[in-house]
Amino acid sequence: MALDPSLGSVDLTRQLCNIFSVSGEERAIADAVEAVLAERAPHLTVTRDGDTVIARTELGRERRVAIAGHLDTVPVNGNLPVRDERDPETGEAVIWGRGTVDMKAGVAVQLVLAVELDDPAVDLTWIWYDHEEVSSDLNGLGRALRNRPELFAADFAILGEPSNGTIEGGCNGTMRALVTYAGKRAHSARSWMGVNAIHRAGAALERLSAFEAERVLVDGLEYREGLNAVRISGGVAGNVIPDRCEIEVNYRFAPSKDLAEAEGVIREFFADADTVEIVDRAPGARPGLDAPLAQQFVEAVGAPPVAKLGWTDVSRFSGLGIPAVNFGPGNPLLAHADDERVPIAQIEATERALRNWLNR
């Protein structure tokens, strides 16, 4: 499908959403993005890394801003093609369907501006990447950073994740652990001969249920932590005392903690477990709002920034020493929902704010 950014970011949102691009199947949409840049953006140097497209201005400006968005979505569930509706709660005009919030409206804004802005106030690096919605080791941004690190040097970064058109600074870190309680098998008719691993895990589940999420102030923004069981497994048969129970735990921690500190929290919390295995980890990102470009951007948007409570790829930029924020149309609470929908006015406002700031 040929994309037409000249129609504006609202129409382009519809076009992008109707290109099927569930994680792992981004080739068609990446091809479409690359094609429109080749045809309409001679001012950009375009590089392809798998299904990640990177486009850069080379104007010799004093500062460079990286602006990124992912092309993939979670699986479709009867919510494509997109359609225009009225929001049932607010009555405002919205585009309804998979990807409208997370995050093809943001991608549309970026693509319109990438084609249009041939003489911005700063040099720009535009990034559209694959595999954001799946395991971190598949992430297209991470892969391209490893393969072509020289393309990502910047003084400030904006990730177009849905943020209701306001700036969300930094992000929480995330860590998953497998917590195992061991027991001893026995016939359930003679349970006293064994040790029930599921019962042993009960105390840990009670502690998790009673856990109160800490609120942590980081550089003026309030982050809320969370520690939750997300999966549990155990049991052998209907007449056997189980000798193993495994709880998968997800810890969301404020960006004031590093990975070692976060792991320490988990291991202390589950000190009574037989084993604690960390299976996935990603550091958070501090708000980055003390950077001069960030302060200028906050002023241009005209609304106070808030903390990003989920994990996003701003963490990858932060890890490079690049201050980064989230800024895009759409309510993050509707991301991945079957009734995902983005206000048309919010798409337009986001585009306007970015254009005005980049043209300042």
Side-chain angles (χ1 to χ4, degrees):
M1 175 181 180
L3 300 174
D4 188 356
S6 68
L7 297 176
S9 55
V10 173
D11 276 339
L12 190 57
T13 296
R14 300 184 184 100
Q15 293 176 38
L16 287 165
C17 288
N18 285 332
I19 300 177
F20 183 89
S21 62
V22 171
S23 302
E25 301 182 69
E26 298 97 330
R27 180 60 51 85
I29 194 169
D31 287 348
V33 168
E34 184 180 27
V36 79
L37 294 173
E39 179 184 352
R40 305 197 184 200
H43 56 284
L44 296 174
T45 301
V46 179
T47 303
R48 181 82 175 253
D49 183 290
D51 289 329
T52 290
V53 180
I54 306 153
R56 294 165 50 96
T57 63
E58 303 290 351
L59 301 172
R61 301 289 195 250
E62 184 179 353
R63 294 283 184 266
R64 178 175 289 275
V65 174
I67 303 178
H70 64 82
L71 297 171
D72 59 324
T73 72
V74 297
V76 174
N77 189 22
N79 45 13
L80 280 184
V82 298
R83 62 177 184 259
D84 283 40
E85 288 191 350
R86 290 284 172 181
D87 189 282
E89 298 176 3
T90 66
E92 60 189 336
V94 299
I95 304 173
W96 174 98
R98 176 63 75 231
T100 52
V101 171
D102 194 11
M103 55 165 286
K104 290 184 178 178
V107 167
V109 168
Q110 294 165 6
L111 191 54
V112 165
L113 295 179
V115 170
E116 174 188 328
L117 299 180
D118 57 3
D119 190 28
V122 293
D123 265 313
L124 295 171
T125 301
W126 302 96
I127 307 151
W128 297 276
Y129 61 101
D130 57 288
H131 284 90
E132 190 273 347
E133 298 289 6
V134 288
S135 177
S136 178
D137 62 323
L138 297 175
N139 185 287
L141 178 60
R143 183 193 63 247
L145 281 168
R146 293 188 298 272
N147 292 343
R148 300 294 303 273
E150 74 280 4
L151 297 179
F152 294 90
D155 300 286
F156 180 55
I158 299 169
L159 188 66
E161 287 284 353
S163 65
N164 271 321
T166 63
I167 294 171
E168 292 185 332
C171 69
N172 273 334
T174 182
M175 185 171 288
R176 287 188 302 113
L178 295 180
V179 179
T180 303
Y181 290 85
K184 179 182 176 183
R185 291 192 191 189
H187 196 295
S188 60
R190 295 174 290 278
S191 58
W192 59 89
M193 298 298 293
V195 177
N196 193 311
I198 294 177
H199 292 179
R200 280 197 64 209
L205 294 174
E206 288 180 358
R207 291 198 304 274
L208 284 169
S209 181
F211 179 83
E212 294 187 6
E214 187 177 357
R215 297 173 186 267
V216 182
L217 200 64
V218 182
D219 298 341
L221 299 185
E222 185 181 79
Y223 293 83
R224 185 168 180 173
E225 299 193 329
L227 182 63
N228 291 280
V230 294
R231 185 178 291 114
I232 188 167
S233 62
V236 180
N239 59 354
V240 178
I241 299 301
D243 61 348
R244 181 181 178 89
C245 182
E246 188 175 82
I247 306 171
E248 183 176 340
V249 176
N250 183 216
Y251 181 34
R252 300 289 176 144
F253 55 93
S256 53
K257 289 186 177 74
D258 61 23
L259 290 174
E261 290 171 314
E263 182 173 341
V265 170
I266 291 177
R267 292 193 181 279
E268 181 179 356
F269 193 92
F270 296 102
D272 61 339
D274 291 281
T275 63
V276 176
E277 179 189 1
I278 306 300
V279 295
D280 188 37
R281 68 191 82 196
R286 298 185 76 92
L289 297 174
D290 53 350
L293 283 171
Q295 293 173 359
Q296 294 167 13
F297 187 46
V298 170
E299 183 179 351
V301 172
V306 297
K308 185 66 165 181
L309 300 184
W311 186 89
T312 74
D313 281 309
V314 295
S315 175
R316 299 184 190 276
F317 290 107
S318 180
L320 297 173
I322 302 170
V325 300
N326 305 275
F327 178 71
N331 183 348
L333 297 179
L334 292 176
H336 303 181
D338 287 343
D339 60 347
E340 193 174 345
R341 58 193 183 274
V342 63
I344 287 174
Q346 209 171 86
I347 301 173
E348 295 169 337
T350 302
E351 178 186 332
R352 188 163 53 248
L354 261 180
R355 176 186 289 107
N356 290 344
W357 181 63
L358 294 172
N359 273 330
R360 69 194 185 287

